[in-house]
Each structure stands twice: as C-alpha cells, then as structure tokens.
Amino acid sequence: MANEVRNIELEQPPAAPQVRKPAPVAPGGMRMSVWPGRPYPLGATWDGEGVNFALFSEHATKVELCIFDPTGMHEVARIALPEYTDQVWHGYLPDARPNLLYGYRVHGPYDPPNGHRFNPNKLLLDPYAKAIHGQIRWSDAHFGYRVGSPRQDLSFDRRDNARGMPKCRVVDTAFTWGGDRPPGVPWEETIILELHVRGATMRHPSVDHQRRGTFAGLISPPFIDYLVQLGVTAVEFLPVQAFVNDRHLVQNGLTNYWGYNTIGFFAPDPRFLSSGLIPEFKTTVKRLHDAGIEVFLDVVFNHTGEGNHLGPTLCFRGIDNASYYRLEKDRRFYTDFTGTGNTLNIDHPRVMQLVMDSLRYWATEMHVDGFRFDLAPTLGREKGVYSQDSAFFDAVRQDPVLAQLKLIAEPWDVGPYGYQLGNFPPGWAEWNASYRDTVRRFWKGDTGLIAELASRIAGSSDIFGYRGRRPWASINFITAHDGFTLHDLVSYNEKHNEANGEGNRDGHDANFSWNCGVEGETDDPEIVKLRDRQKRNFLATLLLSLGVPMILAGDEIGRTQKGNNNAYCQDNEISWIDWEGIRPDDEKLRDFVRYLVALRREHRVFSRPRFFRGEAVSAAGLKDITWVVPEGREAGPEDWHNPFALCLGYVLGGAAGEFYTPGGQRDIDESFLVLMNAWHEDIDFQIPKLPVEMEWEQLVDTTTASGLAETRRVLRAGDVFKLEARSFALFINRAEERAARTDPTGAIHPEAPLTVVPPVAPEMPPPDDEETA
C-alpha cells in the first residue's frame, strides 16, 4: 500500500564486503538492510557506500529513524536504531543514498516536572541535519501536549505531526572548491556590511526574479560589482541557519524575517536556496572570496525556536529536553537568559559538542570566515554565571580551526549581569553599543559628551585596551538590523512599529534619534538638506574612527523602514532594499561612502593596529593623536569637563603611526586634521600650532551635497576656518613633516602631559536584544 509504514529490524552485515546494488527507497515492497553502524560522527553521514545515522539522547529508551518518499509527505519506513553506545543511538543503512528524506521519533518518559518531554507521535528534526526539505505547516499536532487542555503541558498529545513537519535530507558534501582561499583581510583593515540575504536583492532590478532573495541572487554580477565598488571587505549575513517561523506570526500574516529562531545549526534555511541544494551556498562563498570579500555568519546558539514550556516539539525538546536546555529548579520550566523562552544548555558536553561541531562545519565545509554570536554572554555562562574564562571560550581558543577565524560577540543578554561590553577574551571583537549611542547623541546635539566621544573615536581603549587586545576589538556601528536605519535615525523621534501588530509596544525606546524638525517624510527642502548632512556626518565619523566599522546595507542609499525600528517580522517592502527609488542625493551619499571607504583603505592612519598613546613618537615630535579645541590649542582638563562643548578636533600623525609593511619596513602615512561641530551655529576654528609645520588641504566637507570639499584652499597654523553648524571636516597635510622653526607661545610641546583622552567610564545602556524587543 502506498501509505504503509514498514518496521524494519536489524539485519546482520555480511561477513565479507559484497558488491550490492542499492535498493530504491520507495513505498511498498521495499527491502532495506540495517547494520549496527557507528556512534560517530553524529548526524546522517554518506560515506560513498551507505549512510550512517547517529543521534545523541541520554534519556531516551528507543529511537526510530523514519524514511519518507521524495515528496516528504509519506512515511515509507520506520527503523529502530539498533545500537546505543555512549549515549548515542546509531545504525547504518547500506542501501541509503544522498537526498534521502528522514526524521526521528524518540521514545522515553513524558514527565515535564522532571524535565522529560518525549513523545514518539512527533516527528523530530535531526540536530545535525545538513539540509532541510520543506517548511513547518502549523497545527496543534506540533505540540507535545494537548493545546487548550486545562493541564497545559502536563497533558499528552497523541496526534502525528509528520505531514506538517519539514524533513531532513541526506547530503553528499562533495564540492569542487578549486583554488578557493580565504581573503585573509587583517582585522584592522576589515570593513563590514551587515545584510539580510533576502532583503538585499528582492527588489534589485538587475537580478533574475527566480534568484532574488537567495544566495544565488547575492552572487549575480550586478550585486557582486556593487559590493566591490562600495569597497567593503566582508559581508555579515543575518541568520541563515534553518529557523522557525513563529506560529503567532504566521497566523497574523507575518514571518520571522530576521531569522533569530534557529532550529537547525548545520543546514542553510531552504528559503535562501533558489536551487534547494547546499552547493548554492558554497558557490556564494567561493564567488565572494574571488571578489576579495569575506563571509561572516550571524549565529544563534543561545536558544532555539522551540520556545518556552508551552512551545512546540520540533527537535531538541523531543530528543532529550533535560540535556539540551537549561531548566529551573522546577524542571518543568526553562531558564531564560535570552528573552525567547529557553536557553541552550552549553554546560552539557554534548550540547557544547553540537555548537563546536556546527562552527567547524561552517568553517571547514562551507568555508566561512567568521561568526557574529547573538547574545554571546549566554554562551559564556557556567551554571548561569558569566565568565570570559568559561568552557566555551576556552574550547574556541584552543580549537585549531576556530581560533583562526574572526569572532564577534553581541556582548549582552537578558540574564543577570548581562551587559558584558569589553569583557570578552582576547581574540574576540565586540559590537560596541557605547560607540553607537555616544555618536548618535553627539550629532543629535546632546552636551557633555566630548570626553566620551573622544574615547569612542579613538578605539575605546578604556573598554578594550587590556590583555593585549587591539582596536579592532571594537566593532563600531551607528545602525544595525535591530533599530532605525540611518535615514530613519535622522527622520523620526519616535518608533512607528504599528505594522508589527503589537500596538507599537515592541522595539527599543532609547533611539537617540532626531527628526530634524518634522516627524517622518517631508518635502521641506531645508529639513531634507539637514537630514542628508546628518547622514554624511554619521558616516564620516564611523568610517574614520579607530576600530572596525560596520555599515547596515542600504544606509548608503537612504533606505527607510518608515520609522519601524523592530522590523523582525516584516518580509516585505518595509525591510527590503529599494534599488529603484533612490534619489539623486542618495546616489551622492553612496559615492561619498565609496570615497570614505577608499580613503580608509588607502591610509592606515585610520585603521592603525595599536591604540593611541598620545606620545610624540615621530622624529619631528608629532604625537600619534593630538586633541585640539577651537582656540587652536591642545585640549586640557577644563575642555574635557566642559558640559556645553559640542565641537571637537584632532590631528592624526601619520608619521607617528607605528605601521609596518608585511616585510617589516616602516610604513609612513600622511597626517590628517578632523574637525567636528554638532552645534546649531557656525564656529570659528583656529588651525592649531604643532611641533611640525603643516599645510592643510580640505578633503571632506559634509555641508556639500557630495560631502567633498569644493575648494582646495590650503590652511596653515593660526588661520581661522569657519566650521559650519552640524558639519564634519577632514584635511590632509600636504607639507613635508619637519620640525617647526619656532616655538611660539601656545605651541604644543612633545613633553606635554601624555593624555590621549580622559578616563571615562562608559554609560552602560540596557541590553539591545532583537528577540526581546
């Protein structure tokens, strides 16, 4: 019968190897041999002759492997895995081949008060599945308990959910990588573009309709060319591992667009594969590498898409709930450090193994270059307490593969002492929310921030300058997927998240935004002009600060979400980049970003590998950085504590940069002068007197539509420059750097106090968490 499920028992393997013609997997009349197999590796592994299946479950009493027809709709065989070794259930199917669809049914006690939620009526995904077929079709059958029962999750549901569950697919990992090599961009030279795979190309007119919103769309020649012309060195994908679309979102016509709801840590989500095949992702990485662009993945190992004690049973919960999740003293309930209802139990060695195996798989098999870890403090908690010397960080540090990758932490979660900015181990970079908020507030016009701003621009050594960490530990950003876009940052005072269906209660409230006079879109030419200038101010500050800059994709062309600062559920025009509705001024903004990126990549003074020391280390006596005030003198204590200051200048000494070429030669750069005025009125800024003679030619002027200086007048010490209201100016020295002939009163002496910036304790904002927003 077509829908007959055949139970297959263990068949002993032949005494000697035999050549066997594989039997097809098809309903009715199927004969499939089952051998003991091996407990390692976990998952479904094709070895060229058959497939080994191995599943960890410490508390299960029986595990059944379920085989499905090619449509994934009909279960055609059910096989009890014959062996149990070291808490791993395993078996080998010599007749199985790649593309076989499968899932598991796991037997054991259903005892929520003691942490056990086994229910063999529920088909479960393999935690190690390399590919997923299909999507969840929601119904009450996906829950291990009877939905609506007065006993809630203490009840038991006997309905079969297989028809509405995605299936796991056996894969052949073979792929011709050719001469693929990681670009190997040094950390300090890295420039990141954060993007959503789907949103990046869904509205791109030069990408084939069939490829839009997929990995194949990202590597279309027009998009690759765009990335190369923009000049970024890395793309950071929002989560691409298989994730769950929450039931309540689907019922409301929405979706989990951001993807922070992982259910499969090895499989790319099928929604991003136009071909449905894993090689599409590998080809994407290879093409990006060919263009000199690294690939980072935003990964979510802090929780899964199964939610709290009232969530569905899709994978981990039904395989071994008590092992995979952190549970409260009353083991019916989940410890929640993530704001999503559950927390993965990294304390368990098998769960730690899952995370490490997943990371190595993406690094070795998929060739990715780095990871951004969502809610990273959760991974560093041992028995609930965060430590940068936790087992997870130690495991990563000693791993010969992972230790060579670029690792980025989102340094907060919602657990106790969850804000851990600056408290990650050497080798890690961190999203610097203090940089984001300080720069936003400064250009908004908030006072009392000059000392804090100087620290952020100079790489945040007060946060990261210990244990041999370098400036690249600070991932500087103004905007990210979570929050306003750059356009909305200068267009809205308040969030406008009505489309999310939560009464505008979701999303972050402390945005430090300013609408420049009118809330939302406007035709007022003066307000539009000011908003464009503010965008240029933000981008110039970001791309010329010490640390690693991260740009949100679309900010360079004025992308808007209409004031929605939590568009996690908006898989539509709210989130997608509009490539055709670009204003001429937005095209100029894009060109300005290209100019700044090129300037940063050409001049190492903006990406120096060491923190500033405020010392005169050049032969001519110029400091690596000199902070100056409008009077043309070096900033002193009274200036750092001025509660009303909204203007700051500094000189970057290129000859004092301590840069070296790969061959060990001294790499001398030009010197630059930066002037910033966030006040609403113009300021006369006197060009400072320095130990060396300088001739300053202006390059950047954010008061112009292009962001570039329209005149090339050369300024010298003592000249007065009119620094216009709310503007950023950059100058390059065109004179040979030699010691000044005179030492007039007010000159800056090399032996002056060596204070780079005053010590500032950064204001710690509350966790900025996309799942809890």
Side-chain angles (χ1 to χ4, degrees):
M1 296 176 61
N3 293 327
E4 179 185 4
V5 177
R6 303 186 65 249
N7 291 302
I8 300 177
E9 301 299 331
L10 172 66
E11 174 184 303
Q12 295 297 325
Q18 298 181 2
V19 178
R20 301 170 56 89
K21 182 177 180 180
V25 178
M30 181 183 66
R31 180 180 184 278
M32 182 174 286
S33 299
V34 185
W35 299 351
R38 305 175 304 280
Y40 186 85
L42 293 170
T45 306
W46 160 248
D47 63 9
E49 296 181 357
V51 179
N52 189 78
F53 294 87
L55 179 76
F56 158 75
S57 181
E58 179 179 352
H59 299 102
T61 57
K62 179 182 179 181
V63 172
E64 293 177 307
L65 172 67
C66 303
I67 306 299
F68 289 82
D69 74 344
T71 69
M73 296 300 294
H74 305 291
E75 184 179 346
V76 297
R78 191 174 298 182
I79 305 164
L81 292 183
E83 295 290 341
Y84 183 57
T85 305
D86 297 331
Q87 301 178 338
V88 175
W89 300 81
H90 55 95
Y92 184 86
L93 274 59
D95 299 320
R97 294 293 180 266
N99 293 321
L100 177 76
L101 299 183
Y102 72 99
Y104 287 110
R105 299 180 187 274
V106 182
H107 298 251
Y110 187 83
D111 185 11
N114 287 307
H116 301 306
R117 295 176 179 270
F118 296 99
N119 187 335
N121 300 292
K122 311 305 172 186
L123 185 76
L124 305 173
L125 295 172
D126 181 357
Y128 277 73
K130 305 301 190 300
I132 302 294
H133 171 85
Q135 299 287 340
I136 294 176
R137 296 192 302 280
W138 282 109
S139 71
D140 289 349
H142 288 304
F143 295 79
Y145 63 95
R146 195 76 181 178
V147 175
S149 168
R151 301 184 66 234
Q152 296 187 325
D153 58 311
L154 298 180
S155 62
F156 186 77
D157 188 272
R158 290 179 169 79
R159 285 171 291 186
D160 192 317
N161 72 329
R163 289 183 68 85
M165 274 293 290
K167 311 304 185 293
C168 308
R169 185 190 296 276
V170 176
V171 302
D172 182 352
T173 59
F175 181 78
T176 304
W177 284 101
D180 180 66
R181 295 290 184 273
V185 180
W187 247 127
E188 64 269 17
E189 297 177 19
T190 301
I191 303 172
I192 302 171
L193 183 72
E194 188 198 33
L195 62 81
H196 191 285
V197 170
R198 183 166 170 82
T201 61
M202 278 301 294
R203 303 181 71 181
H204 200 298
S206 299
V207 176
D208 292 342
H209 282 274
Q210 297 82 356
R211 297 186 174 187
R212 291 182 183 180
T214 68
F215 295 117
L218 288 182
I219 58 174
S220 61
F223 197 81
I224 290 281
D225 290 345
Y226 182 84
L227 295 177
V228 171
Q229 292 167 9
L230 195 60
V232 296
T233 69
V235 289
E236 181 177 302
F237 296 154
L238 266 68
V240 298
Q241 294 170 327
F243 60 90
V244 176
N245 269 334
D246 311 69
R247 188 184 193 185
H248 74 277
L249 292 178
V250 173
Q251 289 174 337
N252 291 325
L254 301 171
T255 184
N256 195 313
Y257 174 70
W258 284 352
Y260 289 92
N261 215 18
T262 308
I263 199 65
F265 293 111
F266 293 78
D269 194 277
R271 284 163 278 206
F272 301 137
L273 298 169
S274 64
S275 64
L277 303 175
I278 304 303
E280 182 175 329
F281 178 87
K282 297 181 178 181
T283 301
T284 299
V285 174
K286 188 174 186 298
R287 295 277 178 83
L288 288 168
H289 282 180
D290 289 344
I293 298 172
E294 295 181 316
V295 177
F296 304 159
L297 300 187
D298 194 334
V299 289
V300 188
F301 292 110
N302 53 80
H303 73 280
T304 78
E306 291 186 303
N308 63 14
H309 63 291
L310 298 178
T313 297
L314 308 173
C315 180
F316 312 95
R317 173 172 283 142
I319 292 172
D320 196 338
N321 183 72
S323 295
Y324 275 109
Y325 292 113
R326 295 185 186 271
L327 303 178
E328 295 287 271
K329 186 175 181 180
D330 181 347
R331 294 174 65 79
R332 176 186 174 188
F333 301 105
Y334 295 80
T335 301
D336 185 7
F337 296 139
T338 66
T340 65
N342 68 60
T343 305
L344 270 178
N345 182 22
I346 303 297
D347 287 347
H348 194 290
R350 287 294 188 178
V351 182
M352 174 75 78
Q353 179 188 5
L354 171 77
V355 174
M356 298 298 291
D357 286 350
S358 171
L359 292 172
R360 277 190 296 267
Y361 174 79
W362 289 96
T364 59
E365 186 62 40
M366 302 296 218
H367 286 206
V368 304
D369 305 284
F371 301 97
R372 180 265 191 188
F373 292 82
D374 181 66
L375 304 185
T378 300
L379 303 178
R381 293 184 180 274
E382 292 185 338
K383 297 182 178 179
V385 179
Y386 175 80
S387 171
Q388 59 176 289
D389 297 318
S390 69
F392 171 72
F393 294 134
D394 289 345
V396 171
R397 188 181 307 177
Q398 62 79 41
D399 189 280
V401 174
L402 303 181
Q404 300 181 56
L405 302 184
K406 291 177 177 170
L407 307 174
I408 303 171
E410 181 186 40
W412 49 81
D413 66 11
V414 300
Y417 304 100
Y419 194 80
Q420 293 292 336
L421 179 65
N423 197 25
F424 279 74
W428 284 72
E430 305 175 34
W431 272 26
N432 190 347
S434 183
Y435 179 95
R436 173 199 63 195
D437 294 344
T438 300
V439 174
R440 284 186 178 192
R441 292 179 62 200
F442 172 76
W443 285 115
K444 175 175 174 282
D446 290 354
T447 56
L449 294 170
I450 290 299
E452 175 86 9
L453 177 69
S455 295
R456 301 303 144 249
I457 291 171
S460 298
S461 61
D462 56 323
I463 298 175
F464 302 106
Y466 69 101
R467 298 182 72 179
R469 301 183 78 183
R470 297 297 185 98
W472 53 257
S474 177
I475 303 296
N476 299 331
F477 65 106
I478 305 295
T479 58
H481 67 276
D482 187 9
F484 281 142
T485 65
L486 182 60
H487 177 83
D488 292 355
L489 185 67
V490 300
S491 304
Y492 294 90
N493 285 349
E494 308 294 337
K495 63 186 182 183
H496 296 269
N497 299 351
E498 290 80 6
N500 296 352
E502 300 178 41
N504 204 34
R505 295 182 299 272
D506 62 308
H508 206 51
D509 291 318
N511 296 295
F512 305 118
S513 59
W514 177 44
N515 63 20
C516 298
V518 173
E519 186 74 357
E521 298 305 312
T522 179
D523 294 327
D524 187 315
E526 291 303 313
I527 292 178
V528 171
K529 182 179 178 181
L530 177 57
R531 289 176 177 177
D532 288 340
R533 180 186 298 192
Q534 287 287 79
K535 293 179 197 176
R536 294 189 289 270
N537 290 335
F538 279 120
L539 289 167
T541 305
L542 173 66
L543 288 166
L544 300 181
S545 292
L546 190 60
V548 174
M550 184 184 76
I551 306 168
L552 175 63
D555 275 356
E556 76 282 5
I557 53 174
R559 182 173 79 90
T560 178
Q561 293 179 169
K562 305 300 182 184
N564 192 322
N565 76 345
N566 188 36
Y568 77 102
C569 57
Q570 300 295 333
D571 186 8
N572 50 47
E573 287 81 1
I574 291 177
S575 298
W576 302 339
I577 297 176
D578 181 4
W579 294 99
E580 295 186 290
I582 303 175
R583 301 177 305 142
D585 283 341
D586 292 330
E587 294 180 352
K588 293 177 182 178
L589 182 66
R590 176 200 60 206
D591 293 340
F592 181 57
V593 172
R594 290 174 177 173
Y595 174 83
L596 292 172
V597 169
L599 190 70
R600 181 183 181 92
R601 296 185 68 172
E602 181 181 356
H603 294 283
R604 295 193 62 194
V605 72
F606 298 114
S607 58
R608 50 180 285 124
R610 301 182 183 181
F611 288 109
F612 295 110
R613 295 183 295 170
E615 299 177 352
V617 294
S618 74
L622 183 66
K623 294 182 181 182
D624 50 10
I625 191 167
T626 305
W627 302 99
V628 295
V629 294
E631 293 81 4
R633 57 177 174 80
E634 187 170 9
E638 70 282 3
D639 301 300
W640 295 123
H641 295 95
N642 183 345
F644 305 106
L646 279 168
C647 183
L648 181 65
Y650 57 96
V651 175
L652 298 174
E658 303 169 287
F659 313 135
Y660 294 90
T661 67
Q665 293 79 30
R666 188 76 179 273
D667 189 4
I668 304 301
D669 201 353
E670 278 84 13
S671 293
F672 290 85
L673 169 65
V674 175
L675 305 179
M676 307 167 68
N677 178 18
W679 197 29
H680 64 275
E681 293 185 10
D682 300 344
I683 291 178
D684 288 335
F685 206 115
Q686 184 175 337
I687 302 301
K689 297 179 176 65
L690 300 166
V692 294
E693 294 180 347
M694 299 286 191
E695 296 179 354
W696 299 110
E697 178 185 349
Q698 189 173 11
L699 300 179
V700 170
D701 179 2
T702 58
T703 67
T704 70
S706 67
L708 305 182
E710 295 178 345
T711 63
R712 295 294 180 136
R713 181 168 68 97
V714 174
L715 300 174
R716 297 176 177 81
D719 290 345
V720 174
F721 176 77
K722 182 181 179 182
L723 183 60
E724 294 192 36
R726 297 191 175 98
S727 70
F728 181 108
L730 174 72
F731 303 80
I732 187 172
N733 175 46
R734 295 303 191 188
E736 179 182 353
E737 295 188 12
R738 57 187 182 277
R741 292 186 294 272
T742 60
D743 186 20
T745 302
I748 300 172
H749 298 274
E751 63 272 15
L754 302 178
T755 302
V756 183
V757 292
V760 175
E763 178 183 352
M764 298 301 186
D768 185 7
D769 169 34
E770 54 266 8
E771 287 82 20
T772 60

